[in-house]
Amino acid sequence: MTLRRLHVLVTGTSSDAHTWNLMYLQLALEEAGHEVTNLGPCVPDDLLTETCVRLRPDTLVISSVNGHGHTDAARAAAVVRHDPRHDAMPIIVGGLLGTAGNPNADHAPALRAAGVTAVLEKDDLPKLMRLLAETRAAAPAPATATATAAATAAAAATAATAAGRELEGAR
Amino acid sequence: MTAPPETGFAGAIHNTRRAGLVVVQPRMGFAEPSAMRAGLVAVRDARATTVGTITLDSYTRVGDLHSARTAVRTRTRLNGYPLCTHPDDTTRSMLSEVYRPGFPIQIRHGSARPRHIIEAMARIGLDATEGGPVSYCLPYGRTPLRSAVNEWSAACDRLAEMSTPERPAHLESFGGCMLGQMCPPSLLVAIAVLEGLFFAQHRVPSISLSYAQQTQPEQDLEALAALRRLIGELLPDLDVHVVLYTYMGVFPRTRAGSSALLDESARIAVFGGAERLIVKTVMESVRIPDVADNVAAVERAEREVRCSQQMRAAGRHPWAPSESGLYEEARTMIDTVRSLDPDLGIALHIAFRRGLLDIPYCLHPDTQGRTRSRVGPDGRLEWAHVGSLPIDGPRPAGHAVGAQELTSMLNYVADRFDSTVAVR
Ligand code: B12
């Protein structure tokens, strides 16, 4: 069986300017065989929702390290979940979500209540890969030889720029 | 040069410089006024020559004052002090008795659109901050560079207007840091100097230019020497000092490794001739540091500064500065940018659009993103691809950095300090 490449949307949160986390995630996910659109840092809610509608990614990965992630990611997940078209899309959150150095799991109940599927710790990258592999296995096999038009377009755009630099919708 | 200022942030630096001291400063910010005050008092009373810092939170930084208000109302922890959300009187009483001529305080934030912050400072009577049209834009989100240039022009004009000869406003460029890691020193120095020239164009009366510790002390000393030489050549009539930042990239995970990295930065500050050092704490890789963490860091840095000063007085030098042509590279970039337009704001914008300035690994859409850097075999931070920069250097065809290579470069310093300490 040929598995369809997953299209993963990687995004920072509205108040978080850090980018090395986003760049690293993009490279690691691409190397694992996924297609990645990287929305970049400081993503306002409407850019996120608009991009989800336009690109219909298979999975949304929210990364935050500035300590506001526990509130910002909850708000972001809630606005995305507002649209029933994204009901089936996993939302995975990770990074350094609070300011007190405690585990991200402490913030999981509130994040899940807001619609987040999984809250991962800073070094849970293997688990992220596993969750994506499961999503991929569960995804319908490609009807034709192509993924969705949007994913293909995004992949072409990504390939056209230097590695890790595609900043969707930034202009 | 005009007579040195007597009071305010600028005046305090002058007094310590005269006394041959290095000012040590934390990167500290807490949401609660009582905690912020306690932190400032503790830093003032620490066994070190200090100035105070109020680091603002990320909501205030991006201008999302609604979220800052909600957080204050619901007592959600923030990553800094929400200056524009607490009533001015709350901030005034937070500062009362602490903020005095002998203990200046700087507002650090990271805002590409800083007007609300500068206005709050003006109302409250705070005279020192940090920023820059490039350095507070490209590493800090998606604000277009053109808007950041306009906003920082207005901010600089406002700071100039707030100034009096006795109490000049002070502005520090963050240009010596950029993304915190992986930016070759010549480019850091060029951006800091260009921002200094931008501040001078807008008549900000007192400025400092930064440089962040990178991967190799010999190279850092060469960079600091280049920075000081360029200040002498290009900003001779202005009140300017140099501020060194303890390493700004991925920090060691062990206490011992973090402390050793802090010590090294204090030595670099002394042997590189910086007037001020901004420290990091042993909690850097874990969480927002608390008051005790900050006090421990400034006191430790002060001890190391004094040790290094004694070493220097005894004629002992731990490192010989490298001679890699860093000054020439920085100077070429600065001259190229200045030749683009008499208005430095416009020149900076054109330079980034054409790739004449280009920060490696920067995601911001207003940079070309063609340059790449790497940690060389000898531990120096070097160019892997110079893109369209107006300098000589490698321009290889089609080398992409992978996830593994990126992490090992980002962790180079952390690993070096964690492991040397472990074997000891
Ligand atoms: C470099 C850096 C910066 C640079 C960022 C430049 C840039 N454009 O990226 C600069 C200097 C500009 C900066 C600024 C700030 N920073 Co900073 N920064 C760091 C630093 C030193 C390294 C981060 C880094 O680059 N790591 C490399 C990447 C590859 O690793 P990573 O980010 O940890 O991500 C990894 C994991 O977390 C994980 N991961 C990330 N996301 C996800 C998601 C999932 C699903 C999974 C599974 C895993 C995962 O995978 C990544 C690879 O292993 C850290 C401290 C440290 N770690 O040493 C502080 C740190 C993250 N910064 C911090 C703060 C507070 C700020 C500021 C907000 C300060 C302020 N108040 O103004 C500002 C402003 C930024 C903002 N508003 O968001 C705090 C956050 C505190 C907290 N959460 O408790 C830290 C921890 C420092 C500290 N102790 O105070 N910063």
Side-chain angles (χ1 to χ4, degrees), chain A residues 14-15 17 19-20 23-24 27-28 31 38-44 47 66 68 70-72 75 96 99-101 162-165 167-171, chain B residues 57-59 61-62 67 76-79 139-142 179 181-182 286-288 361-369 372 400-403 406-407 410:
Chain A
S14 62
S15 78
T19 51
W20 294 104
M23 171 168 294
Y24 176 80
L27 292 174
E31 285 168 24
N38 186 351
L39 257 184
C42 291
V43 176
L47 174 61
N66 74 346
H68 291 181
H70 62 107
T71 21
D72 288 347
R75 208 194 52 249
L96 203 56
T99 57
R165 228 192 143 259
L167 239 192
E168 187 64 36
R171 274 165 210 273
Chain B
D57 71 287
S58 294
Y59 292 130
R61 201 181 69 73
V62 296
S67 294
T76 309
R77 291 180 61 138
L78 290 171
N79 58 12
Y140 278 111
R142 53 209 312 134
L179 307 192
Q181 46 207 337
M182 298 304 298
V286 182
R287 58 158 166 81
I288 301 277
Y361 309 101
C362 181
L363 288 178
H364 197 288
D366 289 339
T367 63
Q368 283 214 351
R372 286 290 177 263
V401 173
L406 184 71
T407 352
L410 292 176

Side-chain angles (χ1 to χ4, degrees), chain A residues 50-120:
Chain A
E50 183 260 313
T51 310
C52 285
V53 170
R54 191 161 48 85
L55 300 182
R56 302 299 306 277
D58 299 300
T59 300
L60 173 61
V61 173
I62 304 179
S63 167
S64 174
V65 297
N66 74 346
H68 291 181
H70 62 107
T71 21
D72 288 347
R75 208 194 52 249
V79 295
V80 169
R81 288 292 186 224
H82 202 69
D83 185 335
R85 278 175 291 184
H86 307 312
D87 280 354
M89 177 180 71
I91 302 180
I92 305 175
V93 177
L96 203 56
L97 299 179
T99 57
N102 50 332
N104 291 339
D106 293 0
H107 304 288
L111 285 163
R112 286 221 195 80
V116 171
T117 317
V119 178
L120 303 185

